[in-house]
Amino acid sequence: PSPRACQPHGANEEALRYEIEELKQKDLALDQEIAQLLSEGYSLEELEKHISLLHEYNDIKDAGQMLLGKLAVIRGVTTKQLYPEYDLELSD
């Protein structure tokens, strides 16, 4: 059973209330951040395009990391040891 299943019913409700409040705060913070970006002249379409490009970048980066990992296993080295060979920075 999950840790929540072992808790009294009231504790589950309290945990859910806390989680809901946290989500409301995150929602409010995101709304404020969007309002700030809009006030700086960004458009919703532009923001959506940036988000889409970031997702694509992360997908490509994940695939690259996976390939580096497989290559490192084949060569019997760490991925960190492959970075200089491909002119990559550790922050890449």
Side-chain angles (χ1 to χ4, degrees):
S2 70
R4 283 190 179 177
C6 298
Q7 295 177 346
H9 183 66
N12 283 340
E13 286 184 21
E14 186 60 33
L16 288 174
R17 280 191 197 100
Y18 180 77
E19 193 173 336
I20 289 169
E21 189 56 38
E22 278 187 326
L23 290 172
K24 285 180 181 178
Q25 291 299 320
K26 285 181 184 179
D27 185 48
L28 179 62
L30 288 172
D31 286 344
Q32 290 172 344
E33 189 174 342
I34 289 170
Q36 174 68 32
L37 290 169
L38 292 174
S39 73
E40 292 174 6
Y42 293 96
S43 69
L44 285 177
E45 295 81 19
E46 186 177 11
L47 293 173
E48 288 172 3
K49 178 67 174 171
H50 282 276
I51 290 169
S52 174
L53 289 171
L54 283 171
H55 284 295
E56 183 178 348
Y57 167 81
N58 285 329
D59 290 344
I60 292 168
K61 184 177 176 183
D62 289 346
Q65 290 293 327
M66 183 183 66
L67 290 173
L68 275 177
K70 289 181 184 251
L71 183 59
V73 168
I74 290 169
R75 292 189 181 178
V77 298
T78 66
T79 53
K80 183 178 177 180
Q81 291 172 309
L82 293 176
Y83 275 55
E85 182 177 340
Y86 295 99
D87 294 322
L88 299 171
E89 299 291 326
L90 289 177
S91 60
D92 286 342

